[in-house]
Every structure is written in structure tokens, then in C-alpha cells.
Amino acid sequence: MNSPAISDRDRPLHRGNPWEVFLAFLKLGLTSFGGPVAHLGYFRTEFVERRRWLDDRSYSDLVALCQFLPGPASSQVGMALGMGRAGWWGSLAAWLGFTLPSALALILFAYGVTEYRGLAESGWVHGLKVVAVAIVAQAVWGMAKTLCPDRLRAGLAVLAALLTLALPSAAAQVGAIVACGLLGRWLIKLPTLGALQHHDFGISRKV
């Protein structure tokens, strides 16, 4: 008796190794400037568009989940990407590769500020602050086209932004997350149970 054909979705996912994950995140750790929002944009470009470790929908779901958790979303997304690619060691490799360069640079900068009091107020540091605004804006615009593809979701994003701007506090941020989550649950059409069962939250099968 012939065994039933195995669909592409039932085939084992392609796995990487911790060294591959470390090198991928080290590259980003050495070249990615800006804060957590900018990092999420860099992650999408590198791991969704270029390397195709996962698809856009899976990445959007992962970002939404990490935004709901306390702590820096970019670190959580990075470790989750590493875990999805190479397990627990992949998660550690992603954290080390992405965090180590900035940690070393911050230590060196702290020593520099201690030795040279005017370093923090120098013109080149203020120039870096201006560039950071442009980097974050570019990252937000890049993700907005994917996360807010229609008027309804764009409206929820604007509503959340207005709420956090009007009430700049941690409570307002939590309130915006909860409110938009409830509104999205009520207004946005959810996929069927069958679609959820076949939805791939893992790594792309492309080698």
C-alpha cells in the first residue's frame, strides 16, 4: 500500500546552527543603528526579505507578541528568531551577536565620557541623535506597509500613537496595547481555525 503524499507543509523545516545565527546577528550588531523600533525594521529586511527564515505574516505575529511582553521588543524578537532557527543555543547566539558590539561600544563610550567631560555635549554626538530620528522614521515606515495594509489597521495604529502622545506614561502604553487588541479582536476578521492550523509560525523551508 502506497503511503499518502506528504504535502510541503508537512515536511521538516530547514534548521540552521548557532554559528550561522551568531554571524547573522553579529553583522546586524555591527551595522544597525537606532533604537528597538529601528532594529525591528532591520530584522525584517534581513530575515524576512533577504534570508527568508520566516514569512511576513509570521514575523508580524512575532513582533505583536513581543510588543505585548514587558522589556525591549527588539531583544525578544531577536532571541525568538534565533530560537526558531537553531533552538536554545540559537537564541543565545542571536543575543550575543546582536548585543555584544553595542555593549562593548557603550563601555568604551562610558570610559571616554569619564576621561573627556565634553564628549557627551560634542557636536558629533548631537549629529548622531539627529540621524537616529531619521533611522527610526525609515524603520517605522517600512514596517507600516506590512503591519497596516488597510485603513482599519492604519486607524488603530494612529489611535495608539495619539493615545501614547497625549498620555506619555507606561500606563498609557499598556492601555493602548490592550485597547487596540480588543478593538482588533472585534473589528478585524480573524482567519478560520483551519487556516490557523496550517499557518506556518516557523522557519522558511528554503535552504
mmCIF file of all heavy atoms in Angstrom, residues 49-71:
data_model
loop_
_atom_site.group_PDB
_atom_site.id
_atom_site.type_symbol
_atom_site.label_atom_id
_atom_site.label_comp_id
_atom_site.label_asym_id
_atom_site.label_seq_id
_atom_site.Cartn_x
_atom_site.Cartn_y
_atom_site.Cartn_z
ATOM 1 N N GLU A 49 13.013 39.415 4.190
ATOM 2 C CA GLU A 49 13.221 39.710 2.774
ATOM 3 C C GLU A 49 14.477 39.049 2.210
ATOM 4 O O GLU A 49 14.445 38.485 1.115
ATOM 5 C CB GLU A 49 13.304 41.228 2.572
ATOM 6 C CG GLU A 49 12.020 41.966 2.925
ATOM 7 C CD GLU A 49 12.141 43.451 2.694
ATOM 8 O OE1 GLU A 49 13.246 43.914 2.312
ATOM 9 O OE2 GLU A 49 11.143 44.162 2.893
ATOM 10 N N ARG A 50 15.578 39.109 2.959
ATOM 11 C CA ARG A 50 16.850 38.623 2.394
ATOM 12 C C ARG A 50 17.073 37.142 2.652
ATOM 13 O O ARG A 50 17.241 36.360 1.709
ATOM 14 C CB ARG A 50 18.017 39.430 2.965
ATOM 15 C CG ARG A 50 19.364 39.042 2.395
ATOM 16 C CD ARG A 50 20.471 39.968 2.876
ATOM 17 N NE ARG A 50 21.765 39.507 2.398
ATOM 18 C CZ ARG A 50 22.519 38.624 3.049
ATOM 19 N NH1 ARG A 50 22.110 38.114 4.209
ATOM 20 N NH2 ARG A 50 23.686 38.248 2.539
ATOM 21 N N ARG A 51 17.073 36.715 3.886
ATOM 22 C CA ARG A 51 17.387 35.326 4.213
ATOM 23 C C ARG A 51 16.157 34.410 4.149
ATOM 24 O O ARG A 51 16.309 33.187 4.069
ATOM 25 C CB ARG A 51 18.021 35.232 5.608
ATOM 26 C CG ARG A 51 19.361 35.933 5.714
ATOM 27 C CD ARG A 51 19.929 35.839 7.111
ATOM 28 N NE ARG A 51 21.195 36.543 7.226
ATOM 29 C CZ ARG A 51 22.390 35.969 7.062
ATOM 30 N NH1 ARG A 51 22.472 34.670 6.796
ATOM 31 N NH2 ARG A 51 23.499 36.676 7.166
ATOM 32 N N ARG A 52 14.963 34.972 4.272
ATOM 33 C CA ARG A 52 13.707 34.204 4.208
ATOM 34 C C ARG A 52 13.660 33.096 5.270
ATOM 35 O O ARG A 52 13.274 31.956 4.988
ATOM 36 C CB ARG A 52 13.497 33.628 2.805
ATOM 37 C CG ARG A 52 13.402 34.697 1.731
ATOM 38 C CD ARG A 52 13.024 34.108 0.385
ATOM 39 N NE ARG A 52 12.998 35.128 -0.656
ATOM 40 C CZ ARG A 52 11.991 35.966 -0.870
ATOM 41 N NH1 ARG A 52 10.910 35.897 -0.104
ATOM 42 N NH2 ARG A 52 12.058 36.864 -1.841
ATOM 43 N N TRP A 53 14.053 33.451 6.482
ATOM 44 C CA TRP A 53 13.925 32.500 7.577
ATOM 45 C C TRP A 53 12.467 32.292 7.964
ATOM 46 O O TRP A 53 12.122 31.252 8.526
ATOM 47 C CB TRP A 53 14.714 32.997 8.791
ATOM 48 C CG TRP A 53 16.196 32.816 8.649
ATOM 49 C CD1 TRP A 53 16.889 32.417 7.539
ATOM 50 C CD2 TRP A 53 17.179 33.035 9.673
ATOM 51 N NE1 TRP A 53 18.233 32.380 7.790
ATOM 52 C CE2 TRP A 53 18.445 32.756 9.099
ATOM 53 C CE3 TRP A 53 17.113 33.448 10.993
ATOM 54 C CZ2 TRP A 53 19.629 32.860 9.826
ATOM 55 C CZ3 TRP A 53 18.291 33.571 11.717
ATOM 56 C CH2 TRP A 53 19.530 33.276 11.138
ATOM 57 N N LEU A 54 11.619 33.280 7.735
ATOM 58 C CA LEU A 54 10.196 33.194 8.005
ATOM 59 C C LEU A 54 9.481 34.172 7.091
ATOM 60 O O LEU A 54 10.119 35.009 6.436
ATOM 61 C CB LEU A 54 9.884 33.483 9.475
ATOM 62 C CG LEU A 54 10.035 34.910 10.011
ATOM 63 C CD1 LEU A 54 9.496 34.980 11.431
ATOM 64 C CD2 LEU A 54 11.459 35.420 9.994
ATOM 65 N N ASP A 55 8.152 34.042 7.025
ATOM 66 C CA ASP A 55 7.401 34.925 6.129
ATOM 67 C C ASP A 55 6.950 36.182 6.862
ATOM 68 O O ASP A 55 7.105 36.316 8.082
ATOM 69 C CB ASP A 55 6.215 34.195 5.490
ATOM 70 C CG ASP A 55 5.258 33.624 6.526
ATOM 71 O OD1 ASP A 55 5.168 34.180 7.640
ATOM 72 O OD2 ASP A 55 4.597 32.619 6.224
ATOM 73 N N ASP A 56 6.366 37.098 6.097
ATOM 74 C CA ASP A 56 5.979 38.394 6.650
ATOM 75 C C ASP A 56 4.923 38.255 7.731
ATOM 76 O O ASP A 56 4.957 38.952 8.752
ATOM 77 C CB ASP A 56 5.452 39.301 5.527
ATOM 78 C CG ASP A 56 6.156 40.651 5.519
ATOM 79 O OD1 ASP A 56 6.653 41.068 6.583
ATOM 80 O OD2 ASP A 56 6.231 41.276 4.455
ATOM 81 N N ARG A 57 3.970 37.351 7.511
ATOM 82 C CA ARG A 57 2.901 37.202 8.494
ATOM 83 C C ARG A 57 3.425 36.645 9.807
ATOM 84 O O ARG A 57 3.046 37.104 10.887
ATOM 85 C CB ARG A 57 1.807 36.293 7.938
ATOM 86 C CG ARG A 57 0.650 36.110 8.895
ATOM 87 C CD ARG A 57 -0.459 35.303 8.275
ATOM 88 N NE ARG A 57 -1.533 35.077 9.228
ATOM 89 C CZ ARG A 57 -2.613 34.385 8.970
ATOM 90 N NH1 ARG A 57 -2.791 33.870 7.777
ATOM 91 N NH2 ARG A 57 -3.540 34.213 9.893
ATOM 92 N N SER A 58 4.299 35.652 9.721
ATOM 93 C CA SER A 58 4.882 35.080 10.937
ATOM 94 C C SER A 58 5.696 36.127 11.688
ATOM 95 O O SER A 58 5.666 36.193 12.924
ATOM 96 C CB SER A 58 5.766 33.881 10.586
ATOM 97 O OG SER A 58 5.014 32.864 9.985
ATOM 98 N N TYR A 59 6.437 36.952 10.949
ATOM 99 C CA TYR A 59 7.235 38.000 11.599
ATOM 100 C C TYR A 59 6.330 39.032 12.267
ATOM 101 O O TYR A 59 6.604 39.477 13.390
ATOM 102 C CB TYR A 59 8.138 38.674 10.576
ATOM 103 C CG TYR A 59 9.026 39.736 11.183
ATOM 104 C CD1 TYR A 59 10.102 39.382 11.990
ATOM 105 C CD2 TYR A 59 8.774 41.086 10.974
ATOM 106 C CE1 TYR A 59 10.916 40.348 12.564
ATOM 107 C CE2 TYR A 59 9.582 42.056 11.545
ATOM 108 C CZ TYR A 59 10.643 41.677 12.336
ATOM 109 O OH TYR A 59 11.434 42.641 12.909
ATOM 110 N N SER A 60 5.246 39.400 11.604
ATOM 111 C CA SER A 60 4.308 40.358 12.186
ATOM 112 C C SER A 60 3.698 39.806 13.469
ATOM 113 O O SER A 60 3.551 40.522 14.472
ATOM 114 C CB SER A 60 3.203 40.693 11.180
ATOM 115 O OG SER A 60 3.733 41.279 10.014
ATOM 116 N N ASP A 61 3.345 38.517 13.464
ATOM 117 C CA ASP A 61 2.795 37.890 14.666
ATOM 118 C C ASP A 61 3.824 37.901 15.797
ATOM 119 O O ASP A 61 3.485 38.151 16.963
ATOM 120 C CB ASP A 61 2.369 36.451 14.371
ATOM 121 C CG ASP A 61 1.179 36.378 13.437
ATOM 122 O OD1 ASP A 61 0.461 37.393 13.320
ATOM 123 O OD2 ASP A 61 0.969 35.317 12.827
ATOM 124 N N LEU A 62 5.068 37.630 15.444
ATOM 125 C CA LEU A 62 6.131 37.599 16.454
ATOM 126 C C LEU A 62 6.356 38.982 17.054
ATOM 127 O O LEU A 62 6.508 39.126 18.282
ATOM 128 C CB LEU A 62 7.416 37.075 15.813
ATOM 129 C CG LEU A 62 8.628 36.902 16.736
ATOM 130 C CD1 LEU A 62 8.314 35.922 17.845
ATOM 131 C CD2 LEU A 62 9.827 36.429 15.922
ATOM 132 N N VAL A 63 6.376 40.006 16.217
ATOM 133 C CA VAL A 63 6.548 41.379 16.716
ATOM 134 C C VAL A 63 5.392 41.766 17.620
ATOM 135 O O VAL A 63 5.590 42.367 18.688
ATOM 136 C CB VAL A 63 6.680 42.363 15.538
ATOM 137 C CG1 VAL A 63 6.617 43.805 16.031
ATOM 138 C CG2 VAL A 63 7.981 42.127 14.786
ATOM 139 N N ALA A 64 4.164 41.418 17.212
ATOM 140 C CA ALA A 64 2.993 41.752 18.035
ATOM 141 C C ALA A 64 3.070 41.082 19.399
ATOM 142 O O ALA A 64 2.767 41.696 20.430
ATOM 143 C CB ALA A 64 1.718 41.339 17.307
ATOM 144 N N LEU A 65 3.479 39.820 19.426
ATOM 145 C CA LEU A 65 3.604 39.113 20.697
ATOM 146 C C LEU A 65 4.657 39.757 21.583
ATOM 147 O O LEU A 65 4.433 39.977 22.780
ATOM 148 C CB LEU A 65 3.964 37.646 20.432
ATOM 149 C CG LEU A 65 4.286 36.801 21.672
ATOM 150 C CD1 LEU A 65 3.070 36.719 22.582
ATOM 151 C CD2 LEU A 65 4.746 35.407 21.265
ATOM 152 N N CYS A 66 5.816 40.087 21.022
ATOM 153 C CA CYS A 66 6.893 40.679 21.821
ATOM 154 C C CYS A 66 6.560 42.096 22.282
ATOM 155 O O CYS A 66 7.014 42.524 23.349
ATOM 156 C CB CYS A 66 8.195 40.669 21.018
ATOM 157 S SG CYS A 66 8.851 39.002 20.727
ATOM 158 N N GLN A 67 5.781 42.838 21.497
ATOM 159 C CA GLN A 67 5.351 44.162 21.932
ATOM 160 C C GLN A 67 4.428 44.066 23.143
ATOM 161 O O GLN A 67 4.360 44.973 23.968
ATOM 162 C CB GLN A 67 4.624 44.887 20.797
ATOM 163 C CG GLN A 67 5.524 45.310 19.648
ATOM 164 C CD GLN A 67 6.389 46.515 19.975
ATOM 165 O OE1 GLN A 67 6.488 46.950 21.114
ATOM 166 N NE2 GLN A 67 7.023 47.075 18.959
ATOM 167 N N PHE A 68 3.718 42.958 23.246
ATOM 168 C CA PHE A 68 2.795 42.771 24.367
ATOM 169 C C PHE A 68 3.529 42.395 25.652
ATOM 170 O O PHE A 68 3.002 42.559 26.749
ATOM 171 C CB PHE A 68 1.778 41.683 24.015
ATOM 172 C CG PHE A 68 0.693 41.512 25.034
ATOM 173 C CD1 PHE A 68 -0.301 42.475 25.168
ATOM 174 C CD2 PHE A 68 0.659 40.396 25.855
ATOM 175 C CE1 PHE A 68 -1.302 42.318 26.119
ATOM 176 C CE2 PHE A 68 -0.339 40.236 26.798
ATOM 177 C CZ PHE A 68 -1.322 41.202 26.931
ATOM 178 N N LEU A 69 4.772 41.902 25.521
ATOM 179 C CA LEU A 69 5.552 41.498 26.686
ATOM 180 C C LEU A 69 6.360 42.682 27.225
ATOM 181 O O LEU A 69 6.742 43.567 26.463
ATOM 182 C CB LEU A 69 6.514 40.366 26.306
ATOM 183 C CG LEU A 69 5.872 39.085 25.765
ATOM 184 C CD1 LEU A 69 6.966 38.126 25.303
ATOM 185 C CD2 LEU A 69 5.003 38.432 26.814
ATOM 186 N N PRO A 70 6.629 42.717 28.519
ATOM 187 C CA PRO A 70 7.486 43.786 29.058
ATOM 188 C C PRO A 70 8.922 43.609 28.596
ATOM 189 O O PRO A 70 9.373 42.498 28.325
ATOM 190 C CB PRO A 70 7.362 43.597 30.585
ATOM 191 C CG PRO A 70 6.984 42.162 30.760
ATOM 192 C CD PRO A 70 6.144 41.802 29.563
ATOM 193 N N GLY A 71 9.636 44.714 28.502
ATOM 194 C CA GLY A 71 11.029 44.655 28.081
ATOM 195 C C GLY A 71 11.209 45.092 26.641
ATOM 196 O O GLY A 71 10.238 45.363 25.930
#
